[in-house]
Structures are given as C-alpha cells and as structure tokens.
Amino acid sequence: YSFLDEIPTIDYSLLFSKDHNERAKSLEHLGKACQDFEGALKGISDFFELTNQEERSEYLKKNSMDRIRWYLRSDAGENRENLKIVTHPEYHCPSKPDSCKDAIGEYLKGMHEVELGLAKAISTTLGYEETYIEKEFKLEAGFDVATLNLYPPSLQSKGSTGLAEHTDPGFFVSIIQDVKGGLQVLSHKGNWITVNIPRNTIFIGIGDHLEILTNGKYKSHIHQVILDNNEVKRISMATLHGPSLDTFVAPAPGFINDSHPPTYGGMTYKESLELNGFDEID
C-alpha cells in the first residue's frame, strides 16, 4: 500500500506535548480510557452471554424517544446483534448484568475527555483556537450513542457482510473491538483496507458533521464490517460522538471562498438524524 492506503496511528499524548500539564492531563485521560477498555469489552460480552434473548428483546423499539434499543438481523446484507444506548449528555444502559453498566460507563467517561482533547487538537490543525470545535458543536451537551455489537463467526452468518458500507453522523466515531479484523475502511484511492487495531488502541473515524462544518476539507470515512475471516464471534463498540441535538451545523464561513462554495445545506443535528425517517438513537 502507499501511505494513503495506511491507517495512521497517533499517540494522543503527543498532541499536547508543548505544555507539560496539558500533556500530563491528556496522558491521564488516555490511560484511563485504555485501562477501562478491557472492562468495557467484558461488560458487552456479559450482556450478550448473561441475558437471554427474551430479556434482550425487552429493548425492541417502543417509541421514537427510546434511549436503549436492541436489534437482531441475519441476512445477506447484515449479520449482527446489537444494543444501542444513548450515553451523553445522559448515560443509559441496561441494569442487568451489573458488570455491563459500570464497566461501559467508566470507559465512556474517559472517552468523553479524550473527545474534548481531540476537539482541541483538530481545531488547531484547522488553524483555529483550541475551543473552536467544542463551541461549534456544543460538545458539553453533545448527543452520543454507543452501539454494542456481536458479530457471529463466518460459519454461522447468512453472508459475508456484517455491516454494509456507510459513514457515521457526528463529530467522530470511536471503535474498540476484542479480536483483529472485520473492520474495513475505504482509502482515498478506492481500496478497502482491513483495519488491524492493535491491542488497547481506539480507532477514530471522522464523522459527517465535521465534513459539513469544514465544507469537505476533512472527509467522513466510509467503512464496513466483513465476516469472511471471523473464526470466532467478534465483539465491538462503536460510539458516535455528536454535536448537541439543537446545534445548527453548516459549512463555516472560514471554509467557504470562490474556489470552495458551500457544498452542504445546514440543519440542526436532530433534524439531520431524523432526515431519513430514523429516530435519534438510530
């Protein structure tokens, strides 16, 4: 692969190396997130193993304001069971088993701090003050949704696709998983790259709304999940870190000029989530 066909790995702490205190704080937040990483994955595993399907189906869609929702699909286009939970600004999680709620909650608390750190770093790379994205997206009240996924081994699936190609809404998506492989990202050159996420590493993919805010300067990542090499079940958690629901997102003036006219219309984050007939949690 050329450089453009590789997934870069970045030491989060180095983003703040100029200021000793900032760097120490960043290291602490990253360390906390990574420390709680294994616990979160075990919590997800416990949810799928220690509850039966009847208990899980309690979280089937009830209404458009669901904050916890369970879903199961097995066909040629998608093979996975998942539980979606709204995690910010209020944290929702099934009460059973105990290990699930606490472990995932601790991990997500650390990830929210990492999110604010990444917002500072990306704001700087765009040439703005550190608080630019945090203010534009109102991240303190940001609407975050975590998807707890269970993908079957390939021999049990109804097709090779775990999850079809898509982009994600919001500022960015963070993904953790318990086994290598499965996740693929489309490169700038149009090649599918299998993402081998090293142990205790968090995959970060840019979301649609950062692309909209920057008028296409930073692109949202197209990705998919393929089950061909799944020898065992794969557990993952993808968390969509979004603006607040009432944030109006449109190309910012600083990214618009004669060569780059506005490419996207503006609307609130809530409106964009519901645009295709989906509920907020979807």
Side-chain angles (χ1 to χ4, degrees):
Y1 295 128
S2 71
F3 175 72
L4 289 177
D5 278 345
E6 295 173 358
I7 306 292
T9 302
I10 296 167
D11 183 338
Y12 172 85
S13 65
L14 297 181
L15 299 174
F16 305 99
S17 59
K18 289 179 187 172
D19 182 311
H20 178 74
N21 292 332
E22 270 297 323
R23 185 169 186 270
K25 203 159 56 172
S26 302
L27 274 169
E28 185 186 336
H29 293 323
L30 183 64
K32 187 88 172 74
C34 289
Q35 189 180 348
D36 295 327
F37 184 111
E38 296 296 338
L41 288 171
K42 184 179 185 308
I44 299 166
S45 178
D46 285 351
F47 172 77
F48 289 119
E49 285 180 14
L50 301 181
T51 58
N52 58 44
Q53 194 156 315
E54 189 178 331
E55 289 173 299
R56 301 201 287 276
S57 66
E58 284 178 29
Y59 300 109
L60 276 167
K61 179 175 177 175
K62 293 185 178 70
N63 62 62
S64 62
M65 292 305 292
D66 286 346
R67 290 302 184 247
I68 303 177
R69 187 174 289 176
W70 177 76
Y71 175 87
L72 175 65
R73 188 167 166 188
S74 183
D75 57 42
E78 183 175 345
N79 289 271
R80 65 169 176 160
E81 179 180 353
N82 72 45
L83 185 77
K84 288 187 177 180
I85 55 176
V86 173
T87 62
H88 197 268
E90 292 180 351
Y91 175 52
H92 299 261
C93 196
S95 55
K96 292 195 299 185
D98 294 340
S99 55
C100 178
K101 186 170 188 174
D102 296 342
I104 293 170
E106 283 303 307
Y107 167 76
L108 289 167
K109 209 184 297 177
M111 261 315 294
H112 183 66
E113 295 301 325
V114 171
E115 174 186 8
L116 297 178
L118 284 173
K120 289 179 181 177
I122 293 172
S123 296
T124 304
T125 68
L126 289 168
Y128 287 84
E129 61 179 37
E130 282 190 336
T131 56
Y132 174 69
I133 288 175
E134 187 177 338
K135 287 176 179 173
E136 287 292 315
F137 284 161
K138 302 180 188 172
L139 291 180
E140 282 298 345
F143 185 72
D144 297 353
V145 177
T147 304
L148 288 51
N149 294 301
L150 175 65
Y151 293 99
S154 55
L155 59 90
Q156 290 178 5
S157 68
K158 298 283 173 66
S160 63
T161 303
L163 183 59
E165 61 184 78
H166 64 287
T167 61
D168 288 314
F171 171 27
F172 71 87
V173 58
S174 61
I175 298 173
I176 59 174
Q177 62 182 24
D178 67 341
V179 296
K180 282 191 173 183
L183 180 64
Q184 294 187 339
V185 173
L186 194 64
S187 77
H188 296 290
K189 296 177 125 188
N191 300 318
W192 284 108
I193 309 166
T194 296
V195 182
N196 290 311
I197 306 176
R199 186 175 175 80
N200 282 5
T201 301
I202 301 164
F203 174 82
I204 303 291
I206 289 173
D208 296 339
H209 289 76
L210 185 59
E211 178 172 334
I212 293 166
L213 181 73
T214 63
N215 199 30
K217 181 179 176 73
Y218 285 0
K219 299 286 187 194
S220 185
H221 295 118
I222 298 172
H223 52 285
Q224 64 183 6
V225 177
I226 299 298
L227 303 181
D228 286 348
N229 298 320
N230 260 26
E231 293 179 9
V232 295
K233 68 183 180 186
R234 171 178 173 263
I235 285 171
S236 73
M237 179 161 70
T239 308
L240 306 182
H241 305 267
S244 71
L245 287 170
D246 65 354
T247 298
F248 185 85
V249 184
F255 301 101
I256 298 170
N257 55 41
D258 291 344
S259 307
H260 301 92
T263 315
Y264 310 85
M267 63 182 73
T268 67
Y269 190 48
K270 179 181 171 74
E271 287 169 341
S272 70
L273 293 177
E274 296 175 340
L275 183 65
N276 295 313
F278 293 117
D279 300 327
E280 289 171 5
I281 198 168
D282 297 317

PDB file of all heavy atoms in Angstrom, residues 127-157:
ATOM      1  N   GLY A 127      -6.408  25.504  12.048  1.00  0.00           N
ATOM      2  CA  GLY A 127      -5.972  26.896  12.128  1.00  0.00           C
ATOM      3  C   GLY A 127      -6.825  27.757  13.035  1.00  0.00           C
ATOM      4  O   GLY A 127      -6.782  28.986  12.958  1.00  0.00           O
ATOM      5  N   TYR A 128      -7.609  27.119  13.915  1.00  0.00           N
ATOM      6  CA  TYR A 128      -8.479  27.849  14.829  1.00  0.00           C
ATOM      7  C   TYR A 128      -7.997  27.696  16.267  1.00  0.00           C
ATOM      8  O   TYR A 128      -7.145  26.856  16.561  1.00  0.00           O
ATOM      9  CB  TYR A 128      -9.918  27.344  14.721  1.00  0.00           C
ATOM     10  CG  TYR A 128     -10.623  27.761  13.452  1.00  0.00           C
ATOM     11  CD1 TYR A 128     -10.462  27.031  12.268  1.00  0.00           C
ATOM     12  CD2 TYR A 128     -11.440  28.888  13.425  1.00  0.00           C
ATOM     13  CE1 TYR A 128     -11.105  27.419  11.096  1.00  0.00           C
ATOM     14  CE2 TYR A 128     -12.084  29.282  12.258  1.00  0.00           C
ATOM     15  CZ  TYR A 128     -11.908  28.554  11.108  1.00  0.00           C
ATOM     16  OH  TYR A 128     -12.536  28.936   9.958  1.00  0.00           O
ATOM     17  N   GLU A 129      -8.594  28.510  17.168  1.00  0.00           N
ATOM     18  CA  GLU A 129      -8.262  28.356  18.583  1.00  0.00           C
ATOM     19  C   GLU A 129      -8.764  27.005  19.068  1.00  0.00           C
ATOM     20  O   GLU A 129      -9.693  26.417  18.495  1.00  0.00           O
ATOM     21  CB  GLU A 129      -8.876  29.491  19.399  1.00  0.00           C
ATOM     22  CG  GLU A 129     -10.393  29.549  19.329  1.00  0.00           C
ATOM     23  CD  GLU A 129     -10.990  30.677  20.157  1.00  0.00           C
ATOM     24  OE1 GLU A 129     -10.388  31.766  20.207  1.00  0.00           O
ATOM     25  OE2 GLU A 129     -12.065  30.447  20.725  1.00  0.00           O
ATOM     26  N   GLU A 130      -8.161  26.518  20.161  1.00  0.00           N
ATOM     27  CA  GLU A 130      -8.423  25.155  20.644  1.00  0.00           C
ATOM     28  C   GLU A 130      -9.899  24.856  20.906  1.00  0.00           C
ATOM     29  O   GLU A 130     -10.350  23.735  20.734  1.00  0.00           O
ATOM     30  CB  GLU A 130      -7.644  24.904  21.946  1.00  0.00           C
ATOM     31  CG  GLU A 130      -6.177  24.608  21.746  1.00  0.00           C
ATOM     32  CD  GLU A 130      -5.528  24.131  23.035  1.00  0.00           C
ATOM     33  OE1 GLU A 130      -6.059  24.466  24.123  1.00  0.00           O
ATOM     34  OE2 GLU A 130      -4.510  23.432  22.957  1.00  0.00           O
ATOM     35  N   THR A 131     -10.650  25.860  21.334  1.00  0.00           N
ATOM     36  CA  THR A 131     -12.044  25.615  21.738  1.00  0.00           C
ATOM     37  C   THR A 131     -13.031  25.715  20.562  1.00  0.00           C
ATOM     38  O   THR A 131     -14.243  25.609  20.774  1.00  0.00           O
ATOM     39  CB  THR A 131     -12.467  26.618  22.826  1.00  0.00           C
ATOM     40  OG1 THR A 131     -12.259  27.946  22.322  1.00  0.00           O
ATOM     41  CG2 THR A 131     -11.661  26.421  24.102  1.00  0.00           C
ATOM     42  N   TYR A 132     -12.517  25.896  19.345  1.00  0.00           N
ATOM     43  CA  TYR A 132     -13.377  26.148  18.185  1.00  0.00           C
ATOM     44  C   TYR A 132     -14.440  25.050  17.996  1.00  0.00           C
ATOM     45  O   TYR A 132     -15.639  25.318  17.987  1.00  0.00           O
ATOM     46  CB  TYR A 132     -12.532  26.287  16.919  1.00  0.00           C
ATOM     47  CG  TYR A 132     -13.338  26.406  15.647  1.00  0.00           C
ATOM     48  CD1 TYR A 132     -14.089  27.540  15.389  1.00  0.00           C
ATOM     49  CD2 TYR A 132     -13.366  25.368  14.705  1.00  0.00           C
ATOM     50  CE1 TYR A 132     -14.847  27.661  14.228  1.00  0.00           C
ATOM     51  CE2 TYR A 132     -14.117  25.473  13.545  1.00  0.00           C
ATOM     52  CZ  TYR A 132     -14.860  26.618  13.313  1.00  0.00           C
ATOM     53  OH  TYR A 132     -15.609  26.720  12.167  1.00  0.00           O
ATOM     54  N   ILE A 133     -14.010  23.790  17.843  1.00  0.00           N
ATOM     55  CA  ILE A 133     -14.964  22.701  17.579  1.00  0.00           C
ATOM     56  C   ILE A 133     -15.863  22.460  18.788  1.00  0.00           C
ATOM     57  O   ILE A 133     -17.070  22.242  18.654  1.00  0.00           O
ATOM     58  CB  ILE A 133     -14.226  21.408  17.171  1.00  0.00           C
ATOM     59  CG1 ILE A 133     -13.667  21.565  15.753  1.00  0.00           C
ATOM     60  CG2 ILE A 133     -15.150  20.190  17.245  1.00  0.00           C
ATOM     61  CD1 ILE A 133     -12.830  20.409  15.283  1.00  0.00           C
ATOM     62  N   GLU A 134     -15.275  22.528  19.962  1.00  0.00           N
ATOM     63  CA  GLU A 134     -16.060  22.318  21.179  1.00  0.00           C
ATOM     64  C   GLU A 134     -17.233  23.305  21.235  1.00  0.00           C
ATOM     65  O   GLU A 134     -18.365  22.933  21.580  1.00  0.00           O
ATOM     66  CB  GLU A 134     -15.163  22.509  22.402  1.00  0.00           C
ATOM     67  CG  GLU A 134     -15.829  22.157  23.710  1.00  0.00           C
ATOM     68  CD  GLU A 134     -14.880  22.279  24.903  1.00  0.00           C
ATOM     69  OE1 GLU A 134     -13.651  22.230  24.711  1.00  0.00           O
ATOM     70  OE2 GLU A 134     -15.387  22.428  26.022  1.00  0.00           O
ATOM     71  N   LYS A 135     -16.979  24.565  20.864  1.00  0.00           N
ATOM     72  CA  LYS A 135     -18.037  25.586  20.875  1.00  0.00           C
ATOM     73  C   LYS A 135     -19.004  25.404  19.704  1.00  0.00           C
ATOM     74  O   LYS A 135     -20.223  25.490  19.865  1.00  0.00           O
ATOM     75  CB  LYS A 135     -17.418  26.982  20.813  1.00  0.00           C
ATOM     76  CG  LYS A 135     -16.747  27.408  22.113  1.00  0.00           C
ATOM     77  CD  LYS A 135     -16.076  28.768  21.940  1.00  0.00           C
ATOM     78  CE  LYS A 135     -15.431  29.231  23.233  1.00  0.00           C
ATOM     79  NZ  LYS A 135     -14.642  30.480  23.031  1.00  0.00           N
ATOM     80  N   GLU A 136     -18.467  25.153  18.508  1.00  0.00           N
ATOM     81  CA  GLU A 136     -19.322  24.999  17.316  1.00  0.00           C
ATOM     82  C   GLU A 136     -20.305  23.842  17.474  1.00  0.00           C
ATOM     83  O   GLU A 136     -21.452  23.929  17.044  1.00  0.00           O
ATOM     84  CB  GLU A 136     -18.452  24.772  16.067  1.00  0.00           C
ATOM     85  CG  GLU A 136     -17.708  25.996  15.576  1.00  0.00           C
ATOM     86  CD  GLU A 136     -18.630  27.059  15.016  1.00  0.00           C
ATOM     87  OE1 GLU A 136     -19.542  26.720  14.242  1.00  0.00           O
ATOM     88  OE2 GLU A 136     -18.434  28.248  15.361  1.00  0.00           O
ATOM     89  N   PHE A 137     -19.839  22.744  18.081  1.00  0.00           N
ATOM     90  CA  PHE A 137     -20.667  21.553  18.233  1.00  0.00           C
ATOM     91  C   PHE A 137     -21.356  21.455  19.601  1.00  0.00           C
ATOM     92  O   PHE A 137     -22.088  20.507  19.850  1.00  0.00           O
ATOM     93  CB  PHE A 137     -19.831  20.288  18.004  1.00  0.00           C
ATOM     94  CG  PHE A 137     -19.508  19.997  16.561  1.00  0.00           C
ATOM     95  CD1 PHE A 137     -18.454  19.144  16.233  1.00  0.00           C
ATOM     96  CD2 PHE A 137     -20.243  20.546  15.531  1.00  0.00           C
ATOM     97  CE1 PHE A 137     -18.155  18.851  14.900  1.00  0.00           C
ATOM     98  CE2 PHE A 137     -19.962  20.266  14.203  1.00  0.00           C
ATOM     99  CZ  PHE A 137     -18.917  19.415  13.888  1.00  0.00           C
ATOM    100  N   LYS A 138     -21.072  22.414  20.500  1.00  0.00           N
ATOM    101  CA  LYS A 138     -21.628  22.382  21.869  1.00  0.00           C
ATOM    102  C   LYS A 138     -21.400  20.995  22.493  1.00  0.00           C
ATOM    103  O   LYS A 138     -22.357  20.322  22.932  1.00  0.00           O
ATOM    104  CB  LYS A 138     -23.122  22.717  21.861  1.00  0.00           C
ATOM    105  CG  LYS A 138     -23.460  24.078  21.265  1.00  0.00           C
ATOM    106  CD  LYS A 138     -24.981  24.296  21.321  1.00  0.00           C
ATOM    107  CE  LYS A 138     -25.407  25.534  20.561  1.00  0.00           C
ATOM    108  NZ  LYS A 138     -26.886  25.642  20.451  1.00  0.00           N
ATOM    109  N   LEU A 139     -20.138  20.579  22.533  1.00  0.00           N
ATOM    110  CA  LEU A 139     -19.822  19.204  22.919  1.00  0.00           C
ATOM    111  C   LEU A 139     -20.141  18.880  24.378  1.00  0.00           C
ATOM    112  O   LEU A 139     -20.333  17.716  24.722  1.00  0.00           O
ATOM    113  CB  LEU A 139     -18.346  18.895  22.627  1.00  0.00           C
ATOM    114  CG  LEU A 139     -17.966  18.805  21.148  1.00  0.00           C
ATOM    115  CD1 LEU A 139     -16.481  18.493  21.004  1.00  0.00           C
ATOM    116  CD2 LEU A 139     -18.797  17.742  20.421  1.00  0.00           C
ATOM    117  N   GLU A 140     -20.184  19.895  25.227  1.00  0.00           N
ATOM    118  CA  GLU A 140     -20.523  19.604  26.635  1.00  0.00           C
ATOM    119  C   GLU A 140     -21.929  19.011  26.733  1.00  0.00           C
ATOM    120  O   GLU A 140     -22.241  18.269  27.648  1.00  0.00           O
ATOM    121  CB  GLU A 140     -20.395  20.861  27.497  1.00  0.00           C
ATOM    122  CG  GLU A 140     -18.958  21.209  27.865  1.00  0.00           C
ATOM    123  CD  GLU A 140     -18.255  20.132  28.694  1.00  0.00           C
ATOM    124  OE1 GLU A 140     -18.936  19.235  29.239  1.00  0.00           O
ATOM    125  OE2 GLU A 140     -17.013  20.155  28.765  1.00  0.00           O
ATOM    126  N   ALA A 141     -22.779  19.377  25.774  1.00  0.00           N
ATOM    127  CA  ALA A 141     -24.142  18.812  25.733  1.00  0.00           C
ATOM    128  C   ALA A 141     -24.286  17.885  24.531  1.00  0.00           C
ATOM    129  O   ALA A 141     -25.399  17.612  24.082  1.00  0.00           O
ATOM    130  CB  ALA A 141     -25.172  19.943  25.656  1.00  0.00           C
ATOM    131  N   GLY A 142     -23.152  17.389  24.004  1.00  0.00           N
ATOM    132  CA  GLY A 142     -23.158  16.576  22.793  1.00  0.00           C
ATOM    133  C   GLY A 142     -24.003  15.313  22.925  1.00  0.00           C
ATOM    134  O   GLY A 142     -24.062  14.706  24.002  1.00  0.00           O
ATOM    135  N   PHE A 143     -24.643  14.920  21.829  1.00  0.00           N
ATOM    136  CA  PHE A 143     -25.503  13.735  21.818  1.00  0.00           C
ATOM    137  C   PHE A 143     -24.693  12.551  21.308  1.00  0.00           C
ATOM    138  O   PHE A 143     -24.334  12.490  20.128  1.00  0.00           O
ATOM    139  CB  PHE A 143     -26.717  13.983  20.919  1.00  0.00           C
ATOM    140  CG  PHE A 143     -27.731  12.873  20.941  1.00  0.00           C
ATOM    141  CD1 PHE A 143     -28.530  12.666  22.059  1.00  0.00           C
ATOM    142  CD2 PHE A 143     -27.903  12.045  19.847  1.00  0.00           C
ATOM    143  CE1 PHE A 143     -29.480  11.649  22.086  1.00  0.00           C
ATOM    144  CE2 PHE A 143     -28.844  11.021  19.862  1.00  0.00           C
ATOM    145  CZ  PHE A 143     -29.637  10.825  20.985  1.00  0.00           C
ATOM    146  N   ASP A 144     -24.365  11.626  22.217  1.00  0.00           N
ATOM    147  CA  ASP A 144     -23.535  10.476  21.887  1.00  0.00           C
ATOM    148  C   ASP A 144     -24.361   9.190  21.975  1.00  0.00           C
ATOM    149  O   ASP A 144     -25.162   9.026  22.903  1.00  0.00           O
ATOM    150  CB  ASP A 144     -22.347  10.354  22.841  1.00  0.00           C
ATOM    151  CG  ASP A 144     -21.390  11.543  22.751  1.00  0.00           C
ATOM    152  OD1 ASP A 144     -21.586  12.394  21.864  1.00  0.00           O
ATOM    153  OD2 ASP A 144     -20.456  11.604  23.574  1.00  0.00           O
ATOM    154  N   VAL A 145     -24.123   8.293  21.025  1.00  0.00           N
ATOM    155  CA  VAL A 145     -24.796   6.984  21.020  1.00  0.00           C
ATOM    156  C   VAL A 145     -23.744   5.893  20.850  1.00  0.00           C
ATOM    157  O   VAL A 145     -22.914   5.968  19.942  1.00  0.00           O
ATOM    158  CB  VAL A 145     -25.831   6.888  19.868  1.00  0.00           C
ATOM    159  CG1 VAL A 145     -26.455   5.498  19.834  1.00  0.00           C
ATOM    160  CG2 VAL A 145     -26.922   7.943  20.019  1.00  0.00           C
ATOM    161  N   ALA A 146     -23.769   4.899  21.731  1.00  0.00           N
ATOM    162  CA  ALA A 146     -22.861   3.757  21.613  1.00  0.00           C
ATOM    163  C   ALA A 146     -23.634   2.551  21.088  1.00  0.00           C
ATOM    164  O   ALA A 146     -24.779   2.310  21.491  1.00  0.00           O
ATOM    165  CB  ALA A 146     -22.231   3.421  22.961  1.00  0.00           C
ATOM    166  N   THR A 147     -23.018   1.820  20.175  1.00  0.00           N
ATOM    167  CA  THR A 147     -23.602   0.592  19.635  1.00  0.00           C
ATOM    168  C   THR A 147     -22.751  -0.584  20.071  1.00  0.00           C
ATOM    169  O   THR A 147     -21.580  -0.678  19.703  1.00  0.00           O
ATOM    170  CB  THR A 147     -23.684   0.646  18.100  1.00  0.00           C
ATOM    171  OG1 THR A 147     -24.410   1.808  17.701  1.00  0.00           O
ATOM    172  CG2 THR A 147     -24.404  -0.577  17.558  1.00  0.00           C
ATOM    173  N   LEU A 148     -23.333  -1.465  20.872  1.00  0.00           N
ATOM    174  CA  LEU A 148     -22.658  -2.676  21.347  1.00  0.00           C
ATOM    175  C   LEU A 148     -22.972  -3.782  20.344  1.00  0.00           C
ATOM    176  O   LEU A 148     -24.138  -4.173  20.193  1.00  0.00           O
ATOM    177  CB  LEU A 148     -23.172  -3.061  22.736  1.00  0.00           C
ATOM    178  CG  LEU A 148     -22.776  -2.231  23.957  1.00  0.00           C
ATOM    179  CD1 LEU A 148     -23.011  -0.742  23.782  1.00  0.00           C
ATOM    180  CD2 LEU A 148     -23.514  -2.727  25.204  1.00  0.00           C
ATOM    181  N   ASN A 149     -21.968  -4.274  19.659  1.00  0.00           N
ATOM    182  CA  ASN A 149     -22.166  -5.220  18.557  1.00  0.00           C
ATOM    183  C   ASN A 149     -21.670  -6.619  18.900  1.00  0.00           C
ATOM    184  O   ASN A 149     -20.598  -6.777  19.494  1.00  0.00           O
ATOM    185  CB  ASN A 149     -21.392  -4.766  17.311  1.00  0.00           C
ATOM    186  CG  ASN A 149     -21.929  -3.477  16.727  1.00  0.00           C
ATOM    187  OD1 ASN A 149     -23.084  -3.386  16.357  1.00  0.00           O
ATOM    188  ND2 ASN A 149     -21.070  -2.468  16.648  1.00  0.00           N
ATOM    189  N   LEU A 150     -22.425  -7.619  18.460  1.00  0.00           N
ATOM    190  CA  LEU A 150     -21.961  -9.001  18.476  1.00  0.00           C
ATOM    191  C   LEU A 150     -22.072  -9.534  17.054  1.00  0.00           C
ATOM    192  O   LEU A 150     -23.176  -9.654  16.502  1.00  0.00           O
ATOM    193  CB  LEU A 150     -22.832  -9.847  19.421  1.00  0.00           C
ATOM    194  CG  LEU A 150     -22.519 -11.350  19.437  1.00  0.00           C
ATOM    195  CD1 LEU A 150     -21.123 -11.612  19.982  1.00  0.00           C
ATOM    196  CD2 LEU A 150     -23.546 -12.103  20.274  1.00  0.00           C
ATOM    197  N   TYR A 151     -20.922  -9.810  16.425  1.00  0.00           N
ATOM    198  CA  TYR A 151     -20.891 -10.365  15.072  1.00  0.00           C
ATOM    199  C   TYR A 151     -20.601 -11.863  15.177  1.00  0.00           C
ATOM    200  O   TYR A 151     -19.687 -12.272  15.894  1.00  0.00           O
ATOM    201  CB  TYR A 151     -19.797  -9.698  14.231  1.00  0.00           C
ATOM    202  CG  TYR A 151     -20.058  -8.244  13.927  1.00  0.00           C
ATOM    203  CD1 TYR A 151     -19.455  -7.240  14.667  1.00  0.00           C
ATOM    204  CD2 TYR A 151     -20.908  -7.861  12.888  1.00  0.00           C
ATOM    205  CE1 TYR A 151     -19.683  -5.895  14.394  1.00  0.00           C
ATOM    206  CE2 TYR A 151     -21.142  -6.524  12.602  1.00  0.00           C
ATOM    207  CZ  TYR A 151     -20.526  -5.550  13.362  1.00  0.00           C
ATOM    208  OH  TYR A 151     -20.761  -4.220  13.083  1.00  0.00           O
ATOM    209  N   PRO A 152     -21.343 -12.702  14.448  1.00  0.00           N
ATOM    210  CA  PRO A 152     -21.144 -14.154  14.553  1.00  0.00           C
ATOM    211  C   PRO A 152     -19.884 -14.599  13.810  1.00  0.00           C
ATOM    212  O   PRO A 152     -19.370 -13.871  12.954  1.00  0.00           O
ATOM    213  CB  PRO A 152     -22.393 -14.716  13.873  1.00  0.00           C
ATOM    214  CG  PRO A 152     -22.738 -13.681  12.834  1.00  0.00           C
ATOM    215  CD  PRO A 152     -22.394 -12.359  13.464  1.00  0.00           C
ATOM    216  N   PRO A 153     -19.395 -15.804  14.093  1.00  0.00           N
ATOM    217  CA  PRO A 153     -18.328 -16.370  13.259  1.00  0.00           C
ATOM    218  C   PRO A 153     -18.851 -16.519  11.829  1.00  0.00           C
ATOM    219  O   PRO A 153     -20.065 -16.660  11.616  1.00  0.00           O
ATOM    220  CB  PRO A 153     -18.059 -17.742  13.880  1.00  0.00           C
ATOM    221  CG  PRO A 153     -18.736 -17.728  15.211  1.00  0.00           C
ATOM    222  CD  PRO A 153     -19.830 -16.733  15.146  1.00  0.00           C
ATOM    223  N   SER A 154     -17.964 -16.510  10.844  1.00  0.00           N
ATOM    224  CA  SER A 154     -18.390 -16.569   9.440  1.00  0.00           C
ATOM    225  C   SER A 154     -19.221 -17.820   9.149  1.00  0.00           C
ATOM    226  O   SER A 154     -20.149 -17.787   8.346  1.00  0.00           O
ATOM    227  CB  SER A 154     -17.179 -16.503   8.509  1.00  0.00           C
ATOM    228  OG  SER A 154     -16.249 -17.513   8.832  1.00  0.00           O
ATOM    229  N   LEU A 155     -18.913 -18.934   9.833  1.00  0.00           N
ATOM    230  CA  LEU A 155     -19.639 -20.185   9.551  1.00  0.00           C
ATOM    231  C   LEU A 155     -21.099 -20.122  10.000  1.00  0.00           C
ATOM    232  O   LEU A 155     -21.926 -20.909   9.572  1.00  0.00           O
ATOM    233  CB  LEU A 155     -18.924 -21.377  10.205  1.00  0.00           C
ATOM    234  CG  LEU A 155     -18.731 -21.358  11.729  1.00  0.00           C
ATOM    235  CD1 LEU A 155     -19.884 -21.998  12.455  1.00  0.00           C
ATOM    236  CD2 LEU A 155     -17.419 -22.051  12.092  1.00  0.00           C
ATOM    237  N   GLN A 156     -21.426 -19.155  10.879  1.00  0.00           N
ATOM    238  CA  GLN A 156     -22.810 -19.038  11.348  1.00  0.00           C
ATOM    239  C   GLN A 156     -23.579 -17.914  10.662  1.00  0.00           C
ATOM    240  O   GLN A 156     -24.762 -17.726  10.886  1.00  0.00           O
ATOM    241  CB  GLN A 156     -22.826 -18.775  12.866  1.00  0.00           C
ATOM    242  CG  GLN A 156     -22.381 -19.963  13.700  1.00  0.00           C
ATOM    243  CD  GLN A 156     -22.365 -19.637  15.188  1.00  0.00           C
ATOM    244  OE1 GLN A 156     -22.776 -18.564  15.609  1.00  0.00           O
ATOM    245  NE2 GLN A 156     -21.867 -20.577  15.984  1.00  0.00           N
ATOM    246  N   SER A 157     -22.899 -17.148   9.821  1.00  0.00           N
ATOM    247  CA  SER A 157     -23.547 -15.982   9.219  1.00  0.00           C
ATOM    248  C   SER A 157     -24.293 -16.366   7.944  1.00  0.00           C
ATOM    249  O   SER A 157     -24.018 -17.385   7.324  1.00  0.00           O
ATOM    250  CB  SER A 157     -22.509 -14.902   8.910  1.00  0.00           C
ATOM    251  OG  SER A 157     -21.645 -15.326   7.875  1.00  0.00           O
TER     252      SER A 157
END
